[in-house]
mmCIF file of all heavy atoms in Angstrom:
data_model
loop_
_atom_site.group_PDB
_atom_site.id
_atom_site.type_symbol
_atom_site.label_atom_id
_atom_site.label_comp_id
_atom_site.label_asym_id
_atom_site.label_seq_id
_atom_site.Cartn_x
_atom_site.Cartn_y
_atom_site.Cartn_z
ATOM 1 N N PHE M 358 105.013 -83.232 28.974
ATOM 2 C CA PHE M 358 104.912 -83.405 27.582
ATOM 3 C C PHE M 358 105.899 -82.415 26.802
ATOM 4 O O PHE M 358 105.892 -82.368 25.595
ATOM 5 C CB PHE M 358 103.510 -83.098 27.012
ATOM 6 C CG PHE M 358 102.441 -84.175 27.303
ATOM 7 C CD1 PHE M 358 101.700 -84.075 28.436
ATOM 8 C CD2 PHE M 358 102.351 -85.268 26.406
ATOM 9 C CE1 PHE M 358 100.805 -85.121 28.708
ATOM 10 C CE2 PHE M 358 101.525 -86.250 26.732
ATOM 11 C CZ PHE M 358 100.678 -86.173 27.809
ATOM 12 N N ALA M 359 106.712 -81.678 27.523
ATOM 13 C CA ALA M 359 107.489 -80.663 26.900
ATOM 14 C C ALA M 359 108.532 -81.248 25.927
ATOM 15 O O ALA M 359 108.651 -80.766 24.833
ATOM 16 C CB ALA M 359 108.251 -79.838 28.022
ATOM 17 N N SER M 360 109.118 -82.322 26.341
ATOM 18 C CA SER M 360 110.150 -82.979 25.557
ATOM 19 C C SER M 360 109.612 -83.452 24.266
ATOM 20 O O SER M 360 110.264 -83.427 23.132
ATOM 21 C CB SER M 360 110.742 -84.077 26.309
ATOM 22 O OG SER M 360 111.553 -83.601 27.310
ATOM 23 N N ARG M 361 108.383 -83.920 24.326
ATOM 24 C CA ARG M 361 107.757 -84.484 23.025
ATOM 25 C C ARG M 361 107.517 -83.331 22.029
ATOM 26 O O ARG M 361 107.832 -83.587 20.799
ATOM 27 C CB ARG M 361 106.482 -85.156 23.338
ATOM 28 C CG ARG M 361 105.869 -85.788 22.111
ATOM 29 C CD ARG M 361 104.573 -86.504 22.361
ATOM 30 N NE ARG M 361 104.128 -87.022 21.048
ATOM 31 C CZ ARG M 361 102.891 -87.547 20.888
ATOM 32 N NH1 ARG M 361 101.994 -87.492 21.883
ATOM 33 N NH2 ARG M 361 102.490 -88.023 19.781
ATOM 34 N N ALA M 362 107.019 -82.231 22.461
ATOM 35 C CA ALA M 362 106.783 -81.095 21.671
ATOM 36 C C ALA M 362 108.073 -80.544 21.054
ATOM 37 O O ALA M 362 108.174 -80.200 19.827
ATOM 38 C CB ALA M 362 106.071 -79.961 22.373
ATOM 39 N N LEU M 363 109.129 -80.556 21.814
ATOM 40 C CA LEU M 363 110.486 -80.069 21.313
ATOM 41 C C LEU M 363 110.995 -81.007 20.366
ATOM 42 O O LEU M 363 111.448 -80.653 19.252
ATOM 43 C CB LEU M 363 111.412 -79.852 22.494
ATOM 44 C CG LEU M 363 111.080 -78.672 23.483
ATOM 45 C CD1 LEU M 363 111.949 -78.771 24.682
ATOM 46 C CD2 LEU M 363 111.216 -77.332 22.732
ATOM 47 N N GLU M 364 110.964 -82.306 20.628
ATOM 48 C CA GLU M 364 111.487 -83.298 19.674
ATOM 49 C C GLU M 364 110.831 -83.354 18.347
ATOM 50 O O GLU M 364 111.350 -83.649 17.312
ATOM 51 C CB GLU M 364 111.466 -84.714 20.379
ATOM 52 C CG GLU M 364 112.473 -84.779 21.549
ATOM 53 C CD GLU M 364 112.239 -85.974 22.389
ATOM 54 O OE1 GLU M 364 111.381 -86.751 22.106
ATOM 55 O OE2 GLU M 364 112.952 -86.196 23.459
ATOM 56 N N ALA M 365 109.490 -83.001 18.426
ATOM 57 C CA ALA M 365 108.768 -83.059 17.246
ATOM 58 C C ALA M 365 108.886 -81.807 16.408
ATOM 59 O O ALA M 365 108.455 -81.750 15.146
ATOM 60 C CB ALA M 365 107.277 -83.207 17.504
ATOM 61 N N GLY M 366 109.671 -80.797 16.839
ATOM 62 C CA GLY M 366 109.903 -79.613 16.068
ATOM 63 C C GLY M 366 108.695 -78.729 15.843
ATOM 64 O O GLY M 366 108.667 -78.016 14.855
ATOM 65 N N VAL M 367 107.706 -78.672 16.846
ATOM 66 C CA VAL M 367 106.556 -77.852 16.650
ATOM 67 C C VAL M 367 106.806 -76.465 17.039
ATOM 68 O O VAL M 367 105.858 -75.598 16.860
ATOM 69 C CB VAL M 367 105.387 -78.490 17.277
ATOM 70 C CG1 VAL M 367 105.090 -79.842 16.773
ATOM 71 C CG2 VAL M 367 105.522 -78.396 18.747
ATOM 72 N N LEU M 368 107.925 -76.109 17.523
ATOM 73 C CA LEU M 368 108.173 -74.757 18.225
ATOM 74 C C LEU M 368 109.364 -74.072 17.613
ATOM 75 O O LEU M 368 110.368 -74.720 17.190
ATOM 76 C CB LEU M 368 108.365 -74.883 19.662
ATOM 77 C CG LEU M 368 107.243 -75.515 20.457
ATOM 78 C CD1 LEU M 368 107.676 -76.123 21.784
ATOM 79 C CD2 LEU M 368 106.157 -74.446 20.824
ATOM 80 N N GLU M 369 109.259 -72.749 17.539
ATOM 81 C CA GLU M 369 110.416 -71.874 17.111
ATOM 82 C C GLU M 369 111.125 -71.375 18.322
ATOM 83 O O GLU M 369 110.537 -71.263 19.439
ATOM 84 C CB GLU M 369 109.903 -70.693 16.376
ATOM 85 C CG GLU M 369 109.180 -70.922 15.034
ATOM 86 C CD GLU M 369 110.261 -71.074 13.927
ATOM 87 O OE1 GLU M 369 111.504 -71.129 14.271
ATOM 88 O OE2 GLU M 369 109.866 -71.253 12.819
ATOM 89 N N GLU M 370 112.342 -71.313 18.388
ATOM 90 C CA GLU M 370 113.213 -70.773 19.467
ATOM 91 C C GLU M 370 112.761 -69.307 19.671
ATOM 92 O O GLU M 370 112.749 -68.536 18.749
ATOM 93 C CB GLU M 370 114.656 -70.964 19.152
ATOM 94 C CG GLU M 370 115.145 -72.331 19.260
ATOM 95 C CD GLU M 370 116.631 -72.426 19.284
ATOM 96 O OE1 GLU M 370 117.319 -71.385 19.297
ATOM 97 O OE2 GLU M 370 117.186 -73.591 19.156
ATOM 98 N N TYR M 371 112.505 -68.831 20.900
ATOM 99 C CA TYR M 371 112.225 -67.590 21.320
ATOM 100 C C TYR M 371 112.361 -67.387 22.839
ATOM 101 O O TYR M 371 111.800 -68.192 23.501
ATOM 102 C CB TYR M 371 110.852 -67.148 20.801
ATOM 103 C CG TYR M 371 110.546 -65.714 21.276
ATOM 104 C CD1 TYR M 371 111.083 -64.646 20.694
ATOM 105 C CD2 TYR M 371 109.501 -65.547 22.336
ATOM 106 C CE1 TYR M 371 110.880 -63.361 21.132
ATOM 107 C CE2 TYR M 371 109.380 -64.248 22.718
ATOM 108 C CZ TYR M 371 109.983 -63.173 22.147
ATOM 109 O OH TYR M 371 109.785 -61.856 22.619
ATOM 110 N N THR M 372 113.131 -66.346 23.129
ATOM 111 C CA THR M 372 113.382 -66.140 24.552
ATOM 112 C C THR M 372 112.922 -64.687 24.865
ATOM 113 O O THR M 372 113.520 -63.775 24.383
ATOM 114 C CB THR M 372 114.830 -66.232 24.910
ATOM 115 O OG1 THR M 372 115.344 -67.589 24.734
ATOM 116 C CG2 THR M 372 115.058 -65.911 26.409
ATOM 117 N N PRO M 373 111.934 -64.418 25.781
ATOM 118 C CA PRO M 373 111.387 -63.116 25.980
ATOM 119 C C PRO M 373 112.450 -62.333 26.787
ATOM 120 O O PRO M 373 113.288 -62.945 27.579
ATOM 121 C CB PRO M 373 110.165 -63.400 26.869
ATOM 122 C CG PRO M 373 109.738 -64.694 26.546
ATOM 123 C CD PRO M 373 110.991 -65.530 26.229
ATOM 124 N N ALA M 374 112.647 -61.077 26.547
ATOM 125 C CA ALA M 374 113.580 -60.209 27.283
ATOM 126 C C ALA M 374 113.186 -60.135 28.634
ATOM 127 O O ALA M 374 114.110 -59.906 29.553
ATOM 128 C CB ALA M 374 113.571 -58.773 26.534
#
Side-chain angles (χ1 to χ4, degrees):
F358 285 97
S360 295
R361 183 179 183 194
L363 291 168
E364 291 167 2
V367 303
L368 298 156
E369 293 281 3
E370 289 189 5
Y371 176 66
T372 301

